[in-house]
Amino acid sequence: MTSDVMLRDVSERDLEIFFEHQRDPAANHMAAFTAKDPADRTAFTAKWAKILGDDSITKRTILFDGKIAGSVSAFVAPWSGNLEVTYWIGREFWGKGIATKALALLLSAVKTRPLYARAARDNFASLRVLEKCGFSIVGYERGFACARGEEIEEVVLELRAEVLEVRAKNIETDAAADVEA
């Protein structure tokens, strides 16, 4: 099912769909560390203008069966100084292995290691995606989650230099098994 996942450069045309994804209350709760006001189009547009203008950020639109399913990026996090990955999948695309495949595709293009990621401790789906792609838990931090209005625990994960390639041959099999479960 995930064989139809592709990445391409983000275009300004994609932003309307990204904005709709960002406004989804269930997705915000799951992601936890989100915009203060997901419905603030001005803040969203300013954020994406900065992202699109920054050549140091690898940013890709995720396509599934030709439809925009979300985005995936690698950026230097201002809070850690480390290269981190992030992704957002529209809720209608959850549970299909798309995030795993998209992240694997990004990791094959972004060769820098170590590479880091973060997820709310109770975001089991995202943690599973990261683990399937070779990330390991290296710590826990607490931070204010705008989507939940409180401080929560965040998992910090690392893809180490010794993990030379993403376990791509297993990803599609694992993703298909997750869909069947």
Side-chain angles (χ1 to χ4, degrees):
M1 180 174 251
T2 59
S3 60
D4 293 328
V5 175
M6 296 175 39
L7 301 183
R8 68 162 166 73
D9 289 340
V10 174
S11 75
E12 289 194 30
R13 296 183 314 272
D14 303 336
L15 300 182
E16 185 61 36
I17 293 172
F18 293 174
F19 182 66
E20 290 307 312
H21 289 168
Q22 175 181 290
R23 292 181 56 221
D24 181 315
N28 271 278
H29 182 80
M30 184 74 70
F33 299 95
T34 61
K36 288 180 185 176
D37 178 4
D40 183 343
R41 185 180 296 275
T42 302
F44 173 86
T45 301
K47 176 184 112 176
W48 271 98
K50 186 175 177 182
I51 291 168
L52 291 173
D54 188 340
D55 291 337
S56 72
I57 298 173
T58 302
K59 55 255 179 210
R60 300 289 183 265
T61 295
I62 303 166
L63 300 173
F64 178 69
D65 285 340
K67 296 177 185 156
I68 297 173
S71 64
V72 61
S73 303
F75 67 103
V76 176
W79 49 84
S80 68
N82 294 324
L83 189 63
E84 295 193 12
V85 295
T86 186
Y87 46 89
W88 191 290
I89 306 295
R91 186 164 33 136
E92 65 271 28
F93 298 99
W94 291 2
K96 295 176 167 63
I98 295 168
T100 303
K101 180 71 175 190
L103 182 57
L105 290 169
L106 182 78
L107 294 175
S108 69
V110 175
K111 304 291 187 190
T112 303
R113 302 293 185 269
L115 190 59
Y116 294 87
R118 295 166 179 268
R121 188 169 187 159
D122 61 356
N123 187 342
F124 303 116
S126 193
L127 292 170
R128 180 79 175 123
V129 165
L130 293 161
E131 288 172 348
K132 283 183 184 182
C133 288
F135 284 82
S136 299
I137 296 172
V138 293
Y140 299 89
E141 295 181 3
R142 291 193 66 77
F144 186 79
C146 289
R148 301 188 189 177
E150 65 182 338
E151 191 173 284
I152 66 167
E153 196 162 36
E154 181 176 40
V155 180
V156 180
L157 300 98
E158 178 184 46
L159 182 62
R160 294 190 177 97
E162 58 268 16
V163 179
L164 297 176
E165 66 181 51
V166 177
R167 293 170 259 169
K169 62 182 180 250
N170 296 327
I171 287 173
E172 208 155 311
T173 303
D174 288 349
D178 285 348
V179 170
E180 293 170 8

